[in-house]
Amino acid sequence: MRVRVNAVAIANLLIGLQDGCNTMLDLAEMTGLTIQTVRHYCNLFHRKGIVHICDWNEDAKGGRTLKVFALGSGKDMPKPKPLSTAQVCARYRARQKHADMIQRMAA
């Protein structure tokens, strides 16, 4: 499948990459492109060595799965290992305890 994007959108994408380390979601918001188009170009730029993975951010579930891209041919940061079941349960219990405390304070 061929994606057609104008030169201004690609220039904005490269400016976003040049300005600092950004996730694909950040780049999509900055450029106005869809996340699929940004993903396509980021993966293409990564394969060509134009960008590298400089960090990993947390997604909505708390896992560090969002790639943070930076312009340049640096070495990719390895993906962090997933949290253990005990760590996930401890985080869940801490969130529940915090929510319970907030509920008690509001009452």
Side-chain angles (χ1 to χ4, degrees):
M1 183 175 90
R2 198 143 215 189
V3 178
R4 291 183 181 253
V5 179
N6 63 20
V8 174
I10 296 299
N12 287 338
L13 181 65
L14 290 172
I15 289 169
L17 287 167
Q18 183 181 11
D19 285 345
C21 300
N22 295 300
T23 65
M24 289 184 205
L25 295 171
D26 296 337
L27 292 169
E29 187 177 315
M30 283 191 286
T31 61
L33 297 170
T34 64
I35 188 66
Q36 293 88 356
T37 304
V38 171
R39 184 179 298 121
H40 169 77
Y41 279 104
C42 283
N43 289 336
L44 177 68
F45 292 160
H46 187 254
R47 280 194 304 271
K48 298 288 184 181
I50 299 169
V51 298
H52 66 279
I53 301 169
C54 64
D55 197 9
W56 295 84
N57 278 355
E58 288 187 1
D59 61 6
K61 294 182 179 180
R64 295 178 55 90
T65 59
L66 297 177
K67 298 174 188 173
V68 178
F69 288 99
L71 200 59
S73 59
K75 187 176 178 184
D76 287 344
M77 179 176 275
K79 187 173 182 179
K81 295 191 186 308
L83 297 175
S84 69
T85 307
Q87 290 171 319
V88 171
C89 289
R91 288 175 79 178
Y92 173 76
R93 284 190 208 101
R95 280 194 314 269
Q96 292 299 320
K97 187 176 181 180
H98 180 69
D100 186 44
M101 182 179 65
I102 296 294
Q103 185 67 26
R104 286 183 195 172
M105 289 173 64

